Amino acid sequence: MHRLAVWNYIYRKGLYALILSFVLQDLAFERIQGDLNQEVSSVAFDSREVMPGAIFVAISGFTVDGHRYIPAAIAQGASVIVAEQPVELPLSAPSALTLLQVQDTRDALARISANFYGRPTEKLNMVGITGTNGKTSISYFIKSILDQAGQSSGIIGTIGTLIGEELRKNKNTTPEALYLQQSFAEMAQRGIDTCVMEVSSHALSLKRVAYSSFHTGIFTNLTPDHLELHRSMEEYFEAKAMLFDMTSRCNIINADDPYGALLIQRLRTRPAALLTYGLEQDADIYADNISYAIDATRFTAHTPAGSIELEVRLPGSIYVLNSLAALAWAYASGIPLETAKAGIQAVEGIKGRMEVVYRDDHNTVIVDFAHTEDSLEKVLSTLRPYAKSRIILVFGVYAAPGKLGLDKRRAMGRVAAQHADFSVITSDNPKDQDPDAIIADIAAAMQEHQGSFKGMVDRKEAIEYALALAEKDDIVLITGKGHETSQIIGTTEIPFHEAQIVNDFKKRQLLNHGQ
Ligand SMILES: CC(=O)N[C@H]1[C@@H](OP(=O)(O)OP(=O)(O)OC[C@H]2O[C@@H](n3ccc(=O)[nH]c3=O)[C@H](O)[C@@H]2O)O[C@H](CO)[C@@H](O)[C@@H]1O[C@H](C)C(=O)N[C@@H](C)C(=O)N[C@H](CCC(=O)O)C(=O)O
Ligand SMILES: Nc1ncnc2c1ncn2[C@@H]1O[C@H](COP(=O)(O)OP(=O)(O)OP(=O)(O)O)[C@@H](O)[C@H]1O
């Protein structure tokens, strides 16, 4: 294995340009063929995005092997190819083409992208949040605290990448290294102080965040999800735990979660400070005097810097916990408690998280992103005390393969049977799986647990069926899509707006009733 010692910019025609040796700085490689002193224009890991003069990094994917697209990348003008397999260049390849063989192209993509964009995480205060659920709301609480503190911040996560006022949709909760480094660089260039980002277990396993430096790491919880990639909860935990090897200042961990407790044991000897939060276990940041209401939760939060009365405008203990994580971060960052309080209280709601999309004298209709058995159970239990009558649930289970997929469908079916009064089982991104078969698996579990339900493949029809069924004081809860605005059926992404479907139906219903 070799590493390049050379690194520099070249100055030409009044502009600094990047030369390849600079972009390859600190990259371990097995073989290099070609010129390292050429200029490079950009980086790409998808042949369809290659621009003339680009470095193309071939990734061995889950669906196809990116090495197959090397000829296409060359045809598009790539001048450097990075591969992890021995590559035969096509005869038509230009002689100036440089070829690099590395051990792991995902790792190389992260290194090259970070170098290309000038290692932007070194210029930002980086906060990484990981865990199965709660990442999005914590990131929005922290952003709001920073707004109150007069500090600028950007967000990268499930809802999208937020830089300034502009929210861009992400394909992934944690985008690929190249897109991440682009966003970090844009934030740094625009003078943003802090980047608050959700770090998925996929991102950690697939090296999307490699060579990013984090000041703070936050761990929320770990419950079954994404086992198609991680195979076991232990592997899933180890993937999440990787974030806390990358943090320099502080780790903030949910002490109530059993995997959080495990992590706390591990992190005690780490140089980064350790702060714990929780409601049940002894923790540095905790809450008491909690009073729950459907539209807000009030409590006293305790920190080593003092105690404070707080109100969170989202229902249930999950948002008490999520706001404690944000408060812990504020405390660790030296932000006054009053400022943190103002920030948390300024969050009026989060798109697709317990979002009331319709309310009248008869019904309340709520959309939530719950898509794991744990979150579905928490959301249904949160709503139960406020349901004067039934909770009618509309839900599905997204496509997941094999036994793991079946386990997930059975677990979600059990939770729905035990906690909802009636369920309409429907589709949730069935992708290439048979939606009827997914529904049948969920239905079998519901039957086993004496649940009442109806299956309807078409999600719009399912929502309308539930709304038509709702009588006075029923709550209709629609879970799984949250903030999302599309459904993936087969390989097609179809626009799908739940709030609009609900409101259009309610309008028609009122007209039909002559109101
Ligand atoms: C399992 C997984 O992580 N898949 C990701 C992966 O797809 P893949 O390996 O199937 O890619 P592929 O289609 O085999 O292509 C391999 C390579 O060939 C390249 N290619 C392909 C075609 C072509 O014409 N030319 C070309 O160069 C591709 O750009 C790629 O580099 O690489 C893609 C490109 O970056 C990702 O978009 C894709 O995420 C998909 C959409 C996905 O669903 N990922 C999920 C599982 C995920 O990452 N989730 C986490 C957690 C979410 C949560 O918090 O719950 C996330 O962070 O989003
Ligand atoms: N602390 C929590 N514990 C359990 N469930 C939670 C918690 N916080 C939120 N949830 C539930 O999980 C759903 C997703 O929450 P959120 O979007 O904050 O999580 P996330 O970690 O960003 O998830 P994802 O990575 O899947 O986007 C919410 O709609 C809610 O139902």
Side-chain angles (χ1 to χ4, degrees):
M1 195 67 68
H2 315 275
R3 270 170 215 277
L4 287 175
V6 243
W7 69 279
N8 51 5
Y9 289 98
I10 51 170
Y11 188 69
R12 186 173 295 161
K13 292 182 193 155
L15 286 172
Y16 283 103
L18 291 180
I19 65 162
L20 183 57
S21 55
F22 168 77
V23 180
L24 301 182
Q25 194 193 155
D26 294 332
L27 177 77
F29 59 91
E30 292 177 341
R31 194 165 72 97
I32 287 188
Q33 176 188 321
D35 176 18
L36 296 179
N37 286 317
Q38 60 176 300
E39 286 179 44
V40 284
S41 68
S42 51
V43 184
F45 62 93
D46 190 314
S47 58
R48 293 161 290 196
E49 292 177 8
V50 166
M51 295 194 300
I55 303 175
F56 174 69
V57 185
I59 305 284
S60 311
F62 290 91
T63 320
V64 292
D65 184 354
H67 293 80
R68 267 178 40 191
Y69 300 97
I70 290 174
I74 295 171
Q76 292 258 110
S79 56
V80 182
I81 302 295
V82 182
E84 61 187 6
Q85 297 164 21
V87 168
E88 284 299 318
L89 292 178
L91 287 175
S92 56
S95 53
L97 196 81
T98 298
L99 177 65
L100 261 111
Q101 193 177 324
V102 297
Q103 208 165 53
D104 176 354
T105 43
R106 286 189 189 277
D107 183 85
L109 178 65
R111 174 67 92 189
I112 289 171
S113 305
N115 286 346
F116 189 87
Y117 287 101
R119 302 190 174 183
T121 58
E122 291 170 9
K123 298 168 201 145
L124 292 165
N125 174 25
M126 295 286 298
V127 185
I129 310 169
T130 199
T132 309
N133 290 301
K135 302 184 291 296
T136 301
S137 37
I138 295 172
S139 63
Y140 278 82
F141 283 134
I142 292 179
K143 182 179 172 9
S144 185
I145 293 172
L146 283 163
D147 289 347
Q148 292 294 327
Q151 294 178 36
S152 53
S153 60
I155 291 186
I156 301 176
T158 315
I159 295 183
T161 295
L162 182 68
I163 304 180
E165 295 299 306
E166 196 189 339
L167 179 69
R168 294 173 204 152
K169 215 175 152 194
N170 291 335
K171 197 167 168 192
N172 294 101
T173 291
T174 313
E176 287 298 339
L178 173 66
Y179 305 140
L180 272 182
Q181 298 293 338
Q182 271 168 358
S183 297
F184 296 149
E186 192 178 338
M187 286 185 199
Q189 200 201 0
R190 287 167 69 164
I192 285 174
D193 308 309
T194 303
C195 169
V196 190
M197 69 175 291
E198 298 182 40
V199 184
S200 68
S201 54
H202 277 76
L204 288 155
S205 294
L206 301 175
K207 313 227 170 121
R208 294 178 196 159
V209 286
Y211 311 112
S212 297
S213 34
F214 289 92
H215 291 107
T216 314
I218 301 178
F219 176 84
T220 62
N221 46 57
L222 197 80
T223 58
D225 201 14
H226 301 310
L227 295 179
E228 66 281 3
L229 177 75
H230 304 295
R231 293 193 299 248
S232 68
M233 285 300 285
E234 285 60 42
E235 234 182 78
Y236 183 28
F237 173 65
E238 291 305 335
K240 294 277 188 202
M242 283 160 70
L243 175 65
F244 303 93
D245 293 328
M246 301 167 74
T247 50
S248 55
R249 274 192 211 152
C250 187
N251 291 318
I252 296 170
I253 314 292
N254 175 6
D256 291 351
D257 184 81
Y259 285 96
L262 208 62
L263 204 51
I264 289 167
Q265 291 312 320
R266 266 192 206 185
L267 297 176
R268 285 202 191 286
T269 52
R270 282 283 319 279
L274 175 65
L275 262 185
T276 60
Y277 69 96
L279 294 176
E280 291 157 17
Q281 305 294 321
D282 270 353
D284 301 317
I285 316 286
Y286 63 98
D288 55 19
N289 299 323
I290 306 176
S291 92
Y292 293 107
I294 182 80
D295 52 353
T297 309
R298 289 168 197 93
F299 54 94
T300 310
H302 303 275
T303 78
S307 302
I308 198 151
E309 299 303 314
L310 261 179
E311 180 182 289
V312 176
R313 295 204 232 171
L314 283 153
S317 60
I318 54 182
Y319 291 103
V320 179
L321 268 176
N322 296 349
S323 61
L324 287 181
L327 186 65
W329 175 83
Y331 163 73
S333 308
I335 293 176
L337 290 186
E338 282 298 338
T339 309
K341 171 178 173 157
I344 290 169
Q345 297 195 166
V347 176
E348 286 178 15
I350 299 166
K351 191 99 197 110
R353 273 58 178 179
M354 281 289 196
E355 187 183 355
V356 175
V357 295
Y358 181 86
R359 181 180 274 155
D360 64 15
D361 293 343
H362 288 260
N363 303 130
T364 301
V365 184
I366 295 172
V367 164
D368 188 82
F369 194 44
H371 54 276
T372 62
E373 59 183 284
D374 176 59
S375 54
L376 186 61
E377 185 175 339
K378 294 231 160 72
V379 168
L380 284 163
S381 322
T382 295
L383 288 178
R384 178 54 67 195
Y386 312 109
K388 289 193 201 140
S389 189
R390 296 176 300 173
I391 300 179
I392 301 174
L393 171 68
V394 182
F395 81 111
V397 178
Y398 62 81
K403 178 170 180 313
L404 291 167
L406 178 64
D407 288 349
K408 185 164 179 106
R409 301 194 276 275
R410 296 190 57 77
M412 298 282 280
R414 175 186 54 75
V415 169
Q418 291 171 340
H419 296 274
D421 297 290
F422 185 83
S423 298
V424 189
I425 313 171
T426 187
S427 306
D428 179 349
N429 291 351
K431 295 189 178 166
D432 56 354
Q433 291 193 340
D434 175 4
D436 279 306
I438 296 179
I439 291 172
D441 288 340
I442 302 170
M446 289 205 70
Q447 230 156 6
E448 210 176 286
H449 294 276
Q450 286 84 47
S452 305
F453 64 89
K454 181 173 174 67
M456 291 181 100
V457 167
D458 186 293
R459 193 170 170 100
K460 180 166 182 269
E461 279 175 22
I463 292 172
E464 293 180 343
Y465 180 84
L467 295 172
L469 196 70
E471 291 171 0
K472 184 158 171 46
D473 291 335
D474 286 343
I475 292 177
V476 177
L477 170 67
I478 307 166
T479 59
K481 296 235 127 281
H483 61 283
E484 290 176 359
T485 51
S486 63
Q487 275 204 88
I488 309 173
I489 299 174
T491 50
T492 315
E493 199 167 339
I494 298 159
F496 197 79
H497 297 268
E498 291 189 334
Q500 198 181 319
I501 290 169
V502 170
N503 281 285
D504 288 351
F505 180 87
K506 282 290 183 185
K507 250 185 239 156
R508 288 200 305 275
Q509 204 178 36
L510 288 175
L511 280 176
N512 290 342
H513 286 92
Q515 290 177 27

